[in-house]
Structures are given as structure tokens and as C-alpha cells.
Amino acid sequence: MAPKKGLAGAVHRLATPVEELDREQLRDFCDALGLTPSTEVQSRQHVCVGGEVRSVRVVPRAGAPALEVSVNDGLGSVTAVFLGRSNIAGITPGRHITVDGVVGKYGKRFLIYNPTYTLLP
């Protein structure tokens, strides 16, 4: 979605909730990078998705730590799971990131195990 200019843009920014403006800006950022939207992700498909890190948590899996990173692109989210890791330098909430790998589905969540990732400015 291209940003609106002039009076129409000012009215849009004033009348739209801040959360919606943030989602629009995040969608524009991801579209500019040519990433797969989270709404088009399917199980067993190789994808490159990205957006903003919304949460980072350590969850034990089979007795070993696993770092779960929720990545939101303004439309939805995908969770990157790094097995055997309890932290990764630079991956913090609010950071922009791309993750590349094969998607699996667990319940209603889409997971990418041990993806290749790129930290963005």
C-alpha cells in the first residue's frame, strides 16, 4: 500500500489507529523486500518471510532448550525455532529480520525449524 500524500494522507494518519498505521508500515517494508506474506505460507513449503520480531522465548524441547522467535509481517506471524539455542545475539523484540526455511505446522501455528536468518537495520 503506497503512502497517501497531501490532505488525504494527513486525514488518513489522523483517523487511523496507531496500531493499524504500524501494520501498514510493516507490510510496506516486507513488500519492498519481496518476502512471502505470512497469509500465503503453507506447510512443507520453502519460504523467505520476514518482519518484526514480536517475542523471543526459550522453550524446552526433548530436554534441550529451543529459542522460539515470533516474526510478524503486519498480516500474521510465523515462528522461527532454533533448536539447542537459548539466545542469539541481535535477535530481540522490535528488530527486523528475515527467516528462510521449510515451514511446518503445529496446531494453528506455522513453524520454521533452524532457519537461515538475516538481521535487518
Side-chain angles (χ1 to χ4, degrees):
M1 174 187 257
K4 297 178 181 180
K5 305 281 184 189
L7 183 59
V11 170
H12 175 71
R13 286 188 303 276
L14 290 172
T16 306
V18 174
E19 294 82 15
E20 180 60 29
L21 292 174
D22 289 344
R23 280 192 295 273
E24 288 176 8
Q25 186 178 16
L26 191 54
R27 283 194 304 263
D28 291 342
F29 177 78
C30 293
D31 288 344
L33 293 174
L35 302 172
T36 304
S38 61
T39 54
E40 295 179 15
V41 170
Q42 296 177 10
S43 187
R44 299 182 183 188
Q45 174 186 24
H46 185 268
V47 295
C48 184
V49 297
E52 182 178 82
V53 174
R54 290 296 166 105
S55 67
V56 178
R57 66 186 193 142
V58 178
V59 178
R61 291 181 184 261
L67 186 69
E68 288 190 358
V69 179
S70 177
V71 179
N72 187 292
D73 66 356
L75 296 170
S77 64
V78 174
T79 302
V81 180
F82 297 92
L83 300 172
R85 305 289 301 262
S86 58
N87 69 346
I88 297 175
I91 297 183
T92 57
R95 182 73 187 253
H96 287 148
I97 189 172
T98 64
V99 291
D100 188 353
V102 177
V103 177
K105 192 167 185 179
Y106 182 74
K108 293 184 179 183
R109 295 182 350 162
F110 287 108
L111 305 175
I112 303 175
Y113 287 96
N114 292 325
T116 302
Y117 67 93
T118 305
L119 299 174
L120 302 172

